[in-house]
Amino acid sequence: MNLAIDLFIETDKLKPNVVNRTLDDDIQANGKGVNVSLILKKLQTNSTALGFSGGFTGKYIEAFLHENEIATNFIAVSGNTRINVFTQVLQEKNEYKLVNKGPEISQKQIYALLNVIKTIETGAFLCVSGSLPQGIDERILVEISKIANEKQFHLILDSSYQSVLDCLNYQPYLLKPNEEELASWFGKKEISLDESPRYLDRLIDLGAQRVLLSFGGQGCIYADKSRLLYGNAPKGEVVNTACAGDTLLGTFIHGLISKEAVETTLRKSIAAGSSTAFRKGLTDFSDSEILEKQIVITPLERKK
Ligand SMILES: Nc1ncnc2c1ncn2[C@@H]1O[C@H](COP(=O)(O)OP(=O)(O)O)[C@@H](O)[C@H]1O
Ligand SMILES: O=P(O)(O)OC[C@H]1O[C@](O)(COP(=O)(O)O)[C@@H](O)[C@@H]1O
């Protein structure tokens, strides 16, 4: 719902109160759902991007999607679609991620989006990713889950909000937390890779049909009722981890739509996510084969 332009900056140093001249910069049409649509398109799967679009920044994203032959059905709002800033500071080896709130959305505009969602056909896939712009209560996720359950379309949720747990009553098709989100849902500071399977099992017991847990440089775990699989992440030089999760998810959704074996899809998705982490923008899948060779998919034992 919350489109974004990502401004990516590379700088040697970042010092307060002086002019910091940067080494490189790049502007990318973005937002979690937009990234999923872009990745699907690179894999020859069509989608329609939904959400709220405002001002010149919203128009830039719409134009970029159209250039890439991706359909859009955005609700126009006043104010500007946000610009998020990602700064790579070379001397520090640190990445600073500044993510803004997004424009204010009115009740009428929220209803307009819900009405679009109500027209989604049985068997289709709806991916709801990322933060909500201002004026939208997180309970909208529960409302969307209810609609998905009634209409029987496949709902994918990539969201940090606590309300995701209430969505589980409506059996969402797939959840994509990272380790921080999983920990916060269960009121914990952190959850290690080893500890995570039992929390994934709890999400499945509560109603999630499948969960894809991303673990940054440690890779990813996939869980459904019958399978629990782990894939390591390949090694490489990290350039910009923003959008790695969206790449992983977009590639995974493509695999689910194509009814590929889950082990194959998991390997391809981790490779794609890492490929995005190893460059400035989204992967073009050119290094997928090489990265996939480093990934081993291992079944994990379920602890009772
Ligand atoms: N440091 C890293 N090294 C290699 N791969 C990475 C790294 N960080 C992220 N990735 C890849 O991107 C995927 C998603 O990363 P993650 O940071 O967990 O997502 P999110 O952005 O949703 O938090 C990982 O499963 C992995 O494949
Ligand atoms: O919707 P949110 O949670 O505010 O995050 C938006 C940001 O997430 C990203 O899409 C990246 O997400 P991931 O790193 O999880 O793949 C950014 O590039 C974008 O600016």
Side-chain angles (χ1 to χ4, degrees):
M1 284 181 230
N2 211 358
L3 306 180
I5 285 181
D6 279 11
L7 168 62
F8 172 73
I9 298 171
E10 194 176 273
T11 181
D12 214 21
K13 53 189 184 348
L14 190 59
K15 295 234 153 61
N17 310 320
V18 294
V19 171
N20 291 280
R21 301 258 173 218
T22 65
L23 296 173
D24 195 12
D25 62 273
D26 194 27
I27 283 178
Q28 295 157 8
N30 219 295
K32 287 192 158 62
V34 165
N35 283 333
V36 168
S37 280
L38 289 168
I39 289 292
L40 286 173
K41 189 68 194 184
K42 285 171 194 263
L43 294 167
Q44 279 89 48
T45 293
N46 287 324
S47 66
T48 301
L50 307 178
F52 303 100
S53 164
F56 74 104
T57 40
K59 284 206 178 76
Y60 175 83
I61 296 171
E62 258 182 278
F64 183 81
L65 288 170
H66 294 164
E67 265 166 41
N68 283 277
E69 295 173 356
I70 295 168
T72 59
N73 189 3
F74 293 133
I75 313 292
V77 299
S78 47
N80 288 318
T81 284
R82 64 199 169 139
I83 299 177
N84 295 332
V85 184
F86 298 82
T87 307
Q88 196 77 35
V89 185
L90 299 182
Q91 277 185 10
E92 290 180 21
K93 291 201 168 81
N94 277 329
E95 190 182 25
Y96 293 86
K97 307 182 183 191
L98 297 168
V99 172
N100 292 310
K101 287 190 281 226
E104 188 77 39
I105 313 296
S106 71
Q107 275 306 316
K108 204 170 150 207
Q109 290 157 344
I110 297 173
Y111 288 135
L113 182 73
L114 286 173
N115 283 335
V116 172
I117 291 176
K118 282 179 188 158
T119 65
I120 293 176
E121 287 168 17
T122 299
F125 288 75
L126 172 68
C127 177
V128 179
S129 274
S131 65
L132 301 167
Q134 298 182 71
I136 307 187
D137 189 282
E138 62 177 276
R139 300 292 301 173
I140 194 170
L141 298 177
V142 182
E143 212 167 321
I144 294 172
S145 303
K146 212 170 153 192
I147 300 170
N149 185 280
E150 278 163 16
K151 294 259 172 174
Q152 286 295 295
F153 58 75
H154 302 93
L155 178 66
I156 296 149
L157 291 170
D158 176 5
S159 172
S160 349
Y161 297 103
Q162 202 66 25
S163 286
V164 170
L165 294 184
D166 295 327
C167 298
L168 302 183
N169 294 326
Y170 301 99
Q171 292 87 46
Y173 183 74
L174 172 70
L175 300 187
K176 185 343 232 135
N178 59 22
E179 80 263 33
E180 277 166 42
E181 289 159 344
L182 185 71
S184 87
W185 289 342
F186 290 102
K188 303 194 68 96
K189 264 212 171 111
E190 51 185 32
I191 290 176
S192 68
L193 193 68
D194 286 348
E195 290 168 322
S196 58
R198 72 189 163 99
Y199 292 97
L200 297 180
D201 281 346
R202 276 169 70 182
L203 293 174
I204 288 168
D205 287 344
L206 289 167
Q209 294 184 47
R210 13 181 108 55
V211 187
L212 183 65
L213 170 68
S214 67
F215 242 96
Q218 292 186 77
C220 196
I221 300 183
Y222 170 81
D224 63 22
K225 272 214 172 82
S226 58
R227 284 165 298 194
L228 185 62
L229 302 169
Y230 167 68
N232 61 297
K235 297 266 173 277
E237 200 184 319
V238 174
V239 174
N240 173 24
T241 61
C243 312
D246 303 340
T247 304
L248 173 93
L249 180 59
T251 312
F252 198 78
I253 295 173
H254 175 262
L256 290 172
I257 293 173
S258 317
K259 298 196 171 34
E260 212 169 49
V262 78
E263 288 81 359
T264 310
T265 296
L266 185 58
R267 184 179 293 107
K268 284 186 184 171
S269 307
I270 296 172
S274 298
S275 171
T276 289
F278 299 158
R279 62 180 76 208
K280 264 193 303 190
L282 289 180
T283 184
D284 58 5
F285 292 92
S286 57
D287 53 355
S288 290
E289 240 176 81
I290 297 171
L291 295 176
E292 279 175 41
K293 288 200 179 111
Q294 288 188 48
I295 302 168
V296 181
I297 305 297
T298 330
L300 298 177
E301 220 173 284
R302 272 200 147 105
K303 293 182 188 111
K304 289 284 158 215

